[in-house]
C-alpha cells in the first residue's frame, strides 16, 4: 500500500510517498480502505515540530500523519462486533500519537468510527471529524452556548469556523463571524447573522456584551476579543501556542477564557451526522488532492486561506 511519511520535522517537502505492507487489524481494530483523509492546521504545525502533538511523535519518526478519515471497512479484528466489511465509516483516529490517515489503508479502533450518512460523499466525509468535533466541543462543552446567546466566531470561513457557524445556528444563537470580504456571501449562506470584514473593520468596535467568543486565530486577535465579552461571557481559544497568555489576561480582567484540545467522541460525531442527514449542516470542501500530492496540499493548507476544508483523495492516482 502507499502512504505518506516524514522522517524529520520541516517544510512540506519532508512529506514522502512510500510503499509498505497493508496493516492487519488487532482484536479491537478494523482495517479501512481510505477514501478521504482530512487536512487540518495541526497537520502542518506538527510536521514543523510545533505543538503538543509533535512532542508526542518526535521519537516515533518516520510517521504517517492524518487524524481524519473516511473509507470502507475491509477487515475487522476478532473482538469487533459493531462493524463489518463493506461498512462506510468515518472518524477521528490515532490522536495524537498514532495518526495514519494519509494512506491507502489505515487501522482504527472500532470505537473511533461511525457510519457515514448516505447523503455524504465518501471522500469528502474524510474532512469532517476533527474540525466538526473541535467546533462542537468548543461551543457546547466549553462555551456552553445556549439559545439566544450572542457568539463571535473568528475565521468563520475556515474548516472549523464554517461548521461552528452552522452548529451555533442549530442551537438558536445569534452568530457574528469574522472573515475576508470575499467570504461574506458564503457565511451568509451558512446562517451567519453578521459578518465583519477583519481587514476593513475593527470587531472590537462592532461587538460588545457577547456571551461567547470562539477564537480560531489566537494571538492578538484572542487578546483583543476579551474586550467584546459581557461580564458573564467566556472566550474559547483554540490555537495552543497563544492560549496561556490570553487566559492569564482574562483572569486579570475578571473574565473567563479557556483553551481546548479536541478529543475523539463518537457520540458527538453521531449527533453531527444526524444534522447532516437532516440537511441542517453541510461540509464545504474547497479542494481535493490525490494522496501523491500531499506536499501541494500542505502548502495550500499552510496559507491559512482555505474556504472550508481540504481533503486528500486516497483513491485517486
Amino acid at each position: 500500500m502507499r502512504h505518506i511519511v516524514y522522517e524529520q520535522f520541516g517544510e512540506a517537502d519532508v512529506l514522502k510517498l512510500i510503499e509498505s505492507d497493508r496493516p492487519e487489524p488487532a482484536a479491537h481494530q478494523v482495517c479501512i480502505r481510505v477514501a478521504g483523509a482530512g487536512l487540518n492546521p495541526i497537520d502542518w504545525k506538527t510536521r514543523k515540530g510545533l505543538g503538543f502533538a509533535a512532542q508526542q511523535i518526535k521519537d516515533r519518526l518516520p510517521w504517517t500523519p492524518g487524524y481524519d478519515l473516511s473509507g470502507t471497512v475491509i477487515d475487522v479484528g476478532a473482538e469487533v462486533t459493531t462493524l463489518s466489511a463493506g461498512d462506510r465509516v468515518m472518524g477521528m483516529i490515532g490522536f495524537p500519537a498514532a495518526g495514519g490517515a494519509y494512506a491507502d489503508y489505515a487501522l482504527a479502533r472500532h470505537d473511533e468510527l461511525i457510519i457515514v450518512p448516505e447523503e455524504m460523499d465518501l471522500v469528502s466525509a474524510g474532512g469532517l471529524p476533527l474540525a466538526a468535533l473541535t467546533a462542537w466541543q468548543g461551543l457546547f462543552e466549553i462555551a456552553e452556548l445556549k439559545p439566544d446567546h450572542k457568539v463571535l466566531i473568528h475565521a468563520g470561513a475556515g474548516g472549523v469556523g464554517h461548521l461552528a457557524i452552522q452548529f451555533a445556528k442549530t442551537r438558536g444563537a445569534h452568530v457574528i463571524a469574522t472573515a475576508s470580504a470575499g467570504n461574506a456571501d458564503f457565511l451568509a449562506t451558512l446562517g451567519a447573522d453578521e459578518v465583519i470584514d477583519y481587514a476593513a473593520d475593527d470587531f472590537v468596535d462592532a461587538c460588545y456584551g457577547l456571551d461567547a467568543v470562539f477564537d480560531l486565530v489566537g494571538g492578538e486577535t484572542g487578546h483583543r476579543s476579551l474586550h467584546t465579552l459581557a461580564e458573564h461571557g467566556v472566550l474559547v481559544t483554540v490555537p495552543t501556542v497563544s492560549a496561556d497568555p490570553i487566559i492569564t489576561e482574562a483572569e486579570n480582567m475578571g473574565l473567563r477564557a479557556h483553551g481546548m484540545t479536541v478529543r475523539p467522541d463518537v457520540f458527538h460525531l453521531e449527533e453531527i451526522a444526524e444534522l447532516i442527514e437532516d440537511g441542517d449542516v453541510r461540509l464545504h470542501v474547497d479542494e481535493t488532492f490525490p494522496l501523491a500530492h500531499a506536499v501541494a496540499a500542505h502548502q495550500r493548507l499552510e496559507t491559512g486561506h482555505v474556504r472550508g476544508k481540504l481533503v486528500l483523495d486516497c483513491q485517486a492516482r
Side-chain angles (χ1 to χ4, degrees), residues 46-296:
T46 302
R47 189 204 72 228
K48 285 194 164 186
L50 305 173
F52 78 98
Q55 294 304 306
Q56 297 277 325
I57 70 162
K58 64 182 181 181
D59 297 322
R60 301 170 65 114
L61 304 179
W63 188 73
T64 294
Y67 298 121
D68 267 346
L69 63 67
S70 59
T72 305
V73 175
I74 63 160
D75 195 8
V76 302
E79 298 184 28
V80 175
T81 59
T82 55
L83 294 169
S84 303
D87 285 345
R88 291 173 12 121
V89 295
M90 65 180 174
M92 179 178 162
I93 69 159
F95 187 80
Y102 290 16
D104 285 334
Y105 296 89
L107 298 178
R109 296 199 322 266
H110 69 95
D111 59 358
E112 295 176 320
L113 303 167
I114 70 165
I115 299 297
V116 174
E118 290 183 6
E119 293 80 3
M120 286 198 77
D121 170 73
L122 188 58
V123 173
S124 298
L128 182 73
L130 190 149
L133 290 170
T134 301
W136 191 271
Q137 292 165 12
L139 291 174
F140 303 139
E141 285 195 335
I142 304 177
E144 298 181 331
L145 196 68
K146 301 289 193 299
D148 300 322
H149 273 186
K150 290 180 71 175
V151 58
L152 171 63
I153 297 171
H154 286 303
V160 177
H162 88 289
L163 293 167
I165 290 168
Q166 297 174 81
F167 294 163
K169 291 304 297 179
T170 67
R171 293 290 175 96
H174 180 91
V175 177
I176 308 164
T178 61
S180 65
N183 281 316
D185 289 344
F186 171 62
L187 298 198
T189 68
L190 301 178
D193 297 290
E194 303 175 50
V195 180
I196 298 171
D197 177 0
Y198 66 80
D201 300 307
D202 188 341
F203 67 86
V204 177
D205 290 339
C207 300
Y208 60 92
L210 298 180
D211 300 289
V213 175
F214 192 38
D215 169 31
L216 298 164
V217 178
E220 186 65 18
T221 296
H223 285 283
R224 300 186 68 243
S225 295
L226 295 170
H227 298 281
T228 68
L229 289 174
E231 289 185 3
H232 65 272
V234 59
L235 180 143
V236 179
T237 185
V238 175
T240 56
V241 67
S242 58
D244 287 345
I246 293 169
I247 293 166
T248 299
E249 183 174 355
E251 291 172 350
N252 292 338
M253 296 171 64
L255 297 169
R256 292 185 298 142
H258 300 280
M260 70 164 290
T261 300
V262 65
R263 71 179 192 282
D265 190 310
V266 291
F267 298 106
H268 291 164
L269 203 53
E270 289 277 13
E271 290 187 73
I272 293 161
E274 287 183 18
L275 292 173
I276 291 172
E277 285 181 309
D278 293 342
D280 296 323
V281 170
R282 62 184 174 91
L283 174 72
H284 180 83
V285 175
D286 200 16
E287 189 174 0
T288 60
F289 294 81
L291 179 63
H293 295 180
V295 170

